[in-house]
Amino acid sequence: MAVQSFQEHFDSLIDRDISIEPKDWMPDDYRKTLIRQISQHAHSEIIGMLPEGNWITRAPSLRRKAVLLAKVQDEAGHGLYLYSAAETLGISRDEMYEQLHTGKAKYSSIFNYPTLTWADMGAIGWLVDGAAIMNQVPLCRTSYGPYARAMVRVCKEESFHQRQGFEIMLTLSKGTEVQRKMAQDAFNRWWWPSLMMFGPPDAESPNTEQSVHWRIKRFTNDELRQKFVDVTTEQAKVLGLEMPDKDIKWNEERGHYDFGTINWDEFWNVVKGNGPCNKQRIDARKKAWEEGKWVRDAAMAHAEKRKQKANNVQAA
Amino acid sequence: MTNNKLNKNEWPLWEVFIRSKAGLDHKHAGSLHAADAQMAIENARDVYTRRMEGVSIWVVESKQIHASDPGQSESLYEPASDKVYRHPTFYDLPDEVKYM
């Protein structure tokens, strides 16, 4: 087949909504876009363990601790599903780590904010995981097979993450005055960064149109952000908390909530590395990677030695 | 099943197959890195069976898997499409015939 017909075949699969699999021919830019998106997603899961790991030893009860541990373990798992999906596109795991550690690859900016109180565990589960789910559910039908399958697994596991977060917020908001204030404070701090998780506005998102065309993305950033605002505003009423945005208002005509202006300067500033915890997060990852090197090498040497021994026995 | 750039320090890649309950087939679950088969099984247990998804795990080094070429799909699978007589519904039988 000539290049032209490879392209035609690929286009016809996309048009008919048939999955693209690792051995199928695909345009270079499709592959590059996927590697960027999937690895960024994997890095977010791995870096995302750090802000919550901060509270495991200080969880207020054994139940909360067991739940938080399970959630953080899930995030490690989600990172692993996604890294292996990206590897099917021809990039190695070590290359991806390298890109993360050198700052070449990005991860979700939200994890560059600090977790100051226990209520942050609630707000992260409710808002950050809530926003992540909103983004991830449509990805279960994304055009690249291994990515879609990884996302099905992730989404199945993610819903407990959001529910446990909401439960923490509910308990605090129905608790003492101090607890209620703590919940409100966490809500105030995590609300805007959560809205930023959906990415820049459609008008300024250069990759969106192509990704929608390739059926990598199913909805635009603004569509998903609006959906998130609509459902979360209703959920905040159940908690009896005040929306951190004075401009939130139901718009009868649109059938959606209008909301205030997002501070995109802050967003770009954090993306560029100037958020409160960017350095701390990457340093923690690098430290884990470097200090784990002797373990990786020793395990490999041990495996090689055993293989050698088995071969010698066979040869004898 | 991948063609990663060779990296001699990287643990090999393994494909993981899980039997979700006794009586069912092992089904491909995903892949992971491990130094040897035993570690691959242990890691697969942590990565792919945190919620009772399995009662048995197979691991196979990814480089040992040979796959068909999608470019040959036509010659491999299309001949089957005009052989509808291989399906029971191809045959018209009178209604009074029972148990068939």
Side-chain angles (χ1 to χ4, degrees), chain A residues 216-230:
Chain A
I216 294 174
K217 270 185 158 178
R218 295 270 169 172
F219 299 97
T220 69
N221 298 351
D222 286 334
E223 285 167 344
L224 291 168
R225 187 168 13 247
Q226 180 67 61
K227 204 171 158 201
F228 178 73
V229 169
D230 291 347

Side-chain angles (χ1 to χ4, degrees), chain A residues 72-312:
Chain A
V72 172
Q73 195 193 10
D74 273 353
E75 275 145 17
H78 297 175
L80 294 175
Y81 306 155
L82 289 160
Y83 280 130
S84 45
E87 281 172 273
T88 63
L89 291 156
I91 185 168
S92 74
R93 184 77 57 100
D94 284 3
E95 276 177 275
M96 286 187 273
Y97 288 156
E98 175 76 16
Q99 291 179 352
L100 174 65
H101 297 162
T102 56
K104 192 181 166 222
K106 302 290 178 207
Y107 53 87
S108 186
S109 286
I110 193 108
F111 302 119
N112 291 317
Y113 291 86
T115 45
L116 304 177
T117 71
W118 170 252
D120 289 16
M121 296 304 98
I124 287 181
W126 173 38
L127 300 171
V128 178
D129 289 287
I133 292 171
M134 205 68 84
N135 261 325
Q136 288 167 352
V137 167
L139 289 174
C140 296
R141 296 185 297 125
T142 192
S143 59
Y144 188 57
Y147 190 24
R149 291 191 285 276
M151 291 318 303
V152 168
R153 211 173 270 283
V154 169
C155 286
K156 259 191 214 159
E157 300 181 354
E158 197 84 39
S159 92
F160 114 70
H161 296 184
Q162 193 189 15
R163 293 175 74 121
Q164 66 85 36
F166 192 83
E167 192 196 68
I168 291 172
M169 292 301 270
L170 193 62
T171 307
L172 291 173
S173 65
K174 303 257 178 281
T176 64
E177 187 52 22
V178 177
Q179 288 173 321
R180 205 197 58 77
K181 276 192 178 146
M182 204 161 91
Q184 182 68 55
D185 167 65
F187 187 17
N188 295 348
R189 282 182 291 109
W190 291 95
W191 172 251
W192 291 105
S194 299
L195 294 192
M196 296 176 198
M197 280 178 73
F198 295 94
D202 293 348
E204 292 155 42
S205 173
N207 303 318
T208 292
E209 196 190 333
Q210 182 59 269
S211 287
V212 169
H213 172 73
W214 277 329
R215 297 186 204 262
I216 294 174
K217 270 185 158 178
R218 295 270 169 172
F219 299 97
T220 69
N221 298 351
D222 286 334
E223 285 167 344
L224 291 168
R225 187 168 13 247
Q226 180 67 61
K227 204 171 158 201
F228 178 73
V229 169
D230 291 347
V231 306
T232 314
T233 304
E234 292 299 324
Q235 291 165 355
K237 290 180 189 167
V238 180
L239 296 174
L241 295 178
E242 205 174 301
M243 290 303 289
D245 176 359
K246 299 286 165 252
D247 296 327
I248 283 266
K249 208 178 145 217
W250 179 252
N251 183 327
E252 194 64 55
E253 202 178 311
R254 292 202 308 127
H256 292 292
Y257 279 98
D258 289 336
F259 54 99
T261 317
I262 295 169
N263 182 351
W264 291 109
D265 289 342
E266 176 184 324
F267 173 76
W268 288 114
N269 207 21
V270 179
V271 170
K272 284 185 192 123
N274 304 318
C277 302
N278 295 55
K279 186 171 176 329
Q280 192 184 331
R281 301 293 184 235
I282 290 298
D283 285 351
R285 280 312 306 157
K286 283 206 279 207
K287 182 167 179 276
W289 178 247
E290 281 155 17
E291 290 181 358
K293 185 178 185 308
W294 72 269
V295 180
R296 296 192 300 276
D297 290 348
M300 206 56 230
H302 179 67
E304 291 293 341
K305 206 164 128 188
R306 285 219 307 201
K307 211 188 280 173
Q308 207 72 50
K309 257 189 200 161
N311 286 346
N312 290 345

Side-chain angles (χ1 to χ4, degrees), chain A residues 295-300 302-303 306, chain B residues 11-12 14 16 32-47 57 59:
Chain A
V295 180
R296 296 192 300 276
D297 290 348
M300 206 56 230
H302 179 67
R306 285 219 307 201
Chain B
W11 287 346
W14 301 75
V16 177
L32 48 75
H33 289 271
D36 58 26
Q38 191 193 337
M39 190 196 284
I41 288 176
E42 286 162 5
N43 288 357
R45 178 251 180 211
D46 288 343
V47 179
I57 298 171
V59 293

Side-chain angles (χ1 to χ4, degrees), chain A residues 1-10 25, chain B residues 70-72 74:
Chain A
M1 279 199 282
V3 173
Q4 181 59 28
S5 66
F6 279 125
Q7 179 74 51
E8 276 167 13
H9 181 64
F10 173 84
W25 183 91
Chain B
Q72 292 186 329
E74 265 175 49

